[in-house]
């Protein structure tokens, strides 16, 4: 499993020396944002999990999953993740004192740009400019850039990775990203041999097509239960947590 230097630059710890794509020694930045954009079932989350496994295998950084059900962390990840994978809400990022890589999944729901008063959205805006001070890298998945507050994309190192985006929704994308998304779709379609172009992704930082790794431990042919848990983590929350995620308060049971 391998990733381009522009991705490794944000996944390695700050200051680690590594070779770039041209064989030249470079020093890792070790902080920034890796957005993964794509329509549902395009392979966003599987690409994110591949990066988390790469971090476990090649760094000493911790992994933090934003508000994942604890049962998934306990049951669905390989043993080598034990002791290095944790469950925090992104709003509590200030409590994390170790260099870490976050996975914020389904960002369109958690960090909706129209939900400007939510705690997560306020945290998102404030944290964008100081991620480097805390040695944090954030991987997040979303169906469109337009679902995310732009303040998160303006003030830090960025390496966007694009999966397939349904052509019918590209018109809903932010104008400055529409041509890039269309170009990505065209390039992926020209080389892919799988539905939804899941075998490749487009690295917008370098404008290159890359093969998409797919770890066996998330393959439903071998681990169907784990694969379902990892591909649809919010499905496994309690009803109370599901209601909280969509901004509703659970109804209190009437006494007597």
């Amino acid at each position: 499993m391998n990733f381009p230097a522009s991705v490794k630059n944000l996944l390695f710890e700050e200051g680690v020396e590594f070779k770039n794509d041209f064989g030249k020694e470079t020093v890792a930045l070790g902080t920034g944002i890796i957005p993964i954009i794509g329509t549902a079932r395009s392979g966003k989350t599987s690409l994110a999990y591949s990066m988390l496994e790469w971090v476990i295998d090649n760094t000493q950084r911790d992994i933090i999953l934003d508000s994942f059900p604890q049962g998934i962390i306990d049951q669905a990840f390989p043993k080598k993740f034990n002791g290095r994978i944790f469950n925090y809400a992104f709003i509590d990022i200030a409590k994390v004192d170790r260099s870490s890589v976050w996975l914020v999944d389904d960002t369109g729901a958690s960090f909706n740009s129209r939900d400007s008063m939510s705690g997560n959205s306020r945290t998102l805006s404030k944290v964008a400019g100081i991620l480097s001070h805390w040695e944090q890298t954030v991987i997040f998945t979303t169906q469109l850039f337009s679902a995310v507050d732009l303040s998160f994309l303006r003030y830090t190192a960025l390496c966007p990775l694009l999966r397939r985006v349904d052509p019918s929704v590209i018109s809903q994308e932010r104008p400055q990203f529409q041509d890039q998304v269309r170009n990505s779709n065209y390039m992926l379609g020209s080389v892919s041999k799988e539905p939804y172009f899941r075998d490749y992704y487009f690295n917008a930082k370098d404008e290159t097509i890359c093969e998409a790794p797919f770890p066996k431990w998330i393959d439903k042919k071998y681990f169907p239960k784990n694969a379902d848990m990892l591909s649809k983590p919010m499905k496994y929350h309690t009803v109370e947590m599901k209601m909280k995620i969509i901004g509703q308060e659970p109804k209190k049971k009437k006494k007597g």
Side-chain angles (χ1 to χ4, degrees):
M1 184 188 302
N2 202 7
F3 289 98
S6 53
V7 174
K8 293 178 182 178
N9 183 43
L10 305 187
L11 295 180
F12 271 126
E13 297 98 331
E14 179 182 358
V16 169
E17 294 185 357
F18 70 103
K19 291 184 178 180
N20 65 18
D21 296 330
F22 304 99
K24 184 179 179 180
E25 288 289 336
T26 188
V27 178
L29 185 63
T31 184
I33 304 170
I34 305 174
I36 305 176
I37 299 93
T39 301
R41 301 295 171 264
S42 62
K44 300 185 301 295
T45 306
S46 63
L47 181 59
Y49 288 138
S50 298
M51 284 189 233
L52 298 187
E53 183 172 23
W54 188 93
V55 170
I56 291 294
D57 291 341
N58 295 278
T59 82
Q60 298 300 313
R61 303 182 85 179
D62 287 339
I63 302 296
I64 302 180
L65 306 182
D66 170 52
S67 302
F68 263 52
Q70 187 61 42
I72 293 180
I73 294 176
D74 294 339
Q75 300 175 42
F77 283 87
K79 290 183 179 180
K80 62 182 176 181
F81 282 75
N82 290 355
R84 293 182 59 191
I85 186 167
F86 304 94
N87 178 19
Y88 287 99
F90 190 76
I91 197 171
D92 294 325
I93 189 171
K95 299 177 181 178
V96 177
D97 58 5
R98 279 179 52 82
S99 177
S100 303
V101 176
W102 291 72
L103 172 57
V104 182
D105 202 17
D106 288 327
T107 315
S110 300
F111 296 99
N112 193 301
S113 62
R114 292 174 292 277
D115 188 17
S116 60
M117 296 307 294
S118 74
N120 276 343
S121 187
R122 288 196 302 269
T123 303
L124 200 62
S125 300
K126 293 176 180 178
V127 161
I130 57 174
L131 276 177
S132 61
H133 295 255
W134 295 347
E135 300 177 23
Q136 305 296 302
T137 294
V138 178
I139 302 168
F140 70 87
T141 66
T142 183
Q143 297 200 24
L144 292 170
F145 270 124
S146 58
V148 182
D149 193 311
L150 270 179
S151 61
F152 202 39
L153 309 178
R154 288 175 178 151
Y155 302 116
T156 192
L158 193 67
C159 184
L161 308 179
L162 279 69
R163 309 305 305 254
R164 177 185 178 272
V165 176
D166 192 309
S168 66
V169 302
I170 293 178
S171 62
Q172 305 304 311
E173 183 56 279
R174 298 187 190 278
Q176 64 267 44
F177 296 123
Q178 287 184 14
D179 286 345
Q180 189 174 60
V181 172
R182 290 191 180 96
N183 180 53
S184 169
N185 269 3
Y186 173 79
M187 294 184 70
L188 291 171
S190 69
V191 297
S192 177
K193 296 179 175 60
E194 290 192 11
Y196 302 106
F197 311 156
R198 284 189 289 245
D199 46 347
Y200 290 90
Y201 64 93
F202 181 73
N203 180 349
K205 181 84 170 181
D206 304 332
E207 297 189 344
T208 56
I209 293 290
C210 308
E211 287 192 53
F214 190 79
K216 185 175 180 179
W217 52 273
I218 61 172
D219 192 330
K220 62 183 179 182
K221 290 187 296 185
Y222 303 102
F223 304 100
K225 179 65 174 178
N226 287 1
D228 191 67
M229 295 173 74
L230 290 164
S231 66
K232 306 167 190 172
M234 302 310 155
K235 170 183 172 181
Y236 290 88
H237 272 305
T238 62
V239 172
E240 290 76 15
M241 179 58 75
K242 290 176 184 175
M243 294 184 72
K244 185 177 179 181
I245 288 171
I246 62 174
Q248 296 183 11
E249 291 293 332
K251 292 182 180 180
K252 295 182 179 180
K253 293 182 179 180
K254 294 182 179 180
K255 294 182 180 180

